[in-house]
Amino acid sequence: MAEFIRIYEDNPNQAQIDKVVKVLRNGGLIIYPTDTVYGLGCDITNSKALEKIARIKGIKLAKANWSFICYDLSNLSDYVRQIDTSTFKILKRSLPGPYTFILPGNTNLPKDFKKRKTVGIRVPDNTIARMLVKTLGNPIVSTSIRDDDDVLEYTTDPELIFEKWQNLVDVVVDGGYGDNVASTIIDLSDFEPEIIREGKGTTDILW
């Protein structure tokens, strides 16, 4: 059964963050807050944990389109091919924020993502999520817990999230009520930006 850990976003307790990161390092799955909906995540380098998430989501790992949650743009060069100045400016003015940017992947992607031509990068405007990544030392791979068939409260209220997910994950982080609008997804991997999904983030940042 999962552990339920309360962390306050305006003043996250480092000991609690360390506790969650220890679970990630040991291949555990966590549910944690972002600046949009709550996310289901694991250490990006842990194959067994990635397989577990794929099973929960009912998809093959090779076909999963998950985001890399990064602390800031300094992680970019680890996983993304060199990008042009205009693309970087869009990222700089949008992040941290409720966006997922699809960017061209490089040859350093973790082994489970080696065949990917692109990668989804997220830098959420949420202190808890970013501190988890910073303490872990590498991105968290993440997918939304939101499901179109779900009752809304089961994706926004941490106690109800725990009730539903306690036997599937190792930790549920209670960071307060979540949003129910997902991130805006923008593909910047080609010549022209393409809006894949309009979500919480405004698309005005492109112009």
Side-chain angles (χ1 to χ4, degrees):
M1 186 171 149
E3 194 170 354
F4 191 64
I5 299 177
R6 178 80 172 106
I7 301 178
Y8 296 91
E9 198 205 339
D10 52 358
N11 188 22
N13 179 302
Q14 187 63 50
Q16 300 288 60
I17 293 283
D18 291 344
K19 201 171 182 182
V20 180
V21 166
K22 188 176 179 188
V23 169
L24 287 168
R25 287 203 178 113
N26 290 333
L29 307 190
I30 67 165
I31 288 176
Y32 66 101
T34 72
D35 52 354
T36 57
V37 296
Y38 266 76
L40 166 64
C42 71
D43 183 340
I44 201 174
T45 63
N46 192 301
S47 298
K48 283 187 177 168
L50 291 165
E51 288 283 4
K52 278 190 217 163
I53 292 184
R55 274 200 302 279
I56 287 171
K57 292 298 247 182
I59 53 173
K60 285 192 161 44
L61 180 54
K63 295 209 163 114
N65 289 317
W66 298 331
S67 306
F68 288 15
I69 304 291
C70 300
Y71 176 71
D72 59 20
L73 292 177
S74 64
N75 286 126
L76 270 192
S77 57
D78 295 342
Y79 307 109
V80 174
R81 280 209 315 269
Q82 194 158 8
I83 52 177
D84 60 34
T85 309
S86 60
T87 301
F88 187 74
K89 280 181 176 168
I90 291 170
L91 299 175
K92 194 87 175 143
R93 65 173 168 259
S94 317
L95 300 174
Y99 297 92
T100 301
F101 289 106
I102 297 171
L103 296 162
N106 66 19
T107 52
N108 298 327
L109 287 170
K111 62 180 184 296
D112 294 290
F113 301 95
K114 279 284 185 211
K115 294 180 180 171
R116 299 295 169 87
K117 289 190 168 59
T118 58
V119 61
I121 296 288
R122 277 268 278 131
V123 183
D125 188 11
N126 179 285
T127 316
I128 298 167
R130 293 178 67 224
M131 275 187 73
L132 288 171
V133 170
K134 189 175 189 184
T135 305
L136 181 63
N138 56 259
I140 294 171
V141 83
S142 188
T143 179
S144 162
I145 64 163
R146 186 166 154 261
D147 189 313
D148 291 337
D149 299 328
D150 264 341
V151 177
L152 201 57
E153 284 72 18
Y154 276 95
T155 56
T156 55
D157 180 334
E159 289 189 8
L160 292 178
I161 291 169
F162 179 74
E163 188 183 297
K164 182 178 175 181
W165 288 84
Q166 61 187 323
N167 296 317
L168 293 170
V169 301
D170 300 284
V171 167
V172 173
V173 176
D174 173 5
Y177 271 84
D179 206 330
N180 65 333
V181 182
S183 66
T184 293
I185 302 176
I186 301 173
D187 189 339
L188 296 177
S189 65
D190 220 331
F191 298 111
E192 287 294 320
E194 184 187 351
I195 297 158
I196 306 294
R197 176 182 74 196
E198 286 205 47
K200 190 174 175 184
T202 171
T203 54
D204 294 352
I205 49 112
L206 294 173
W207 333 114

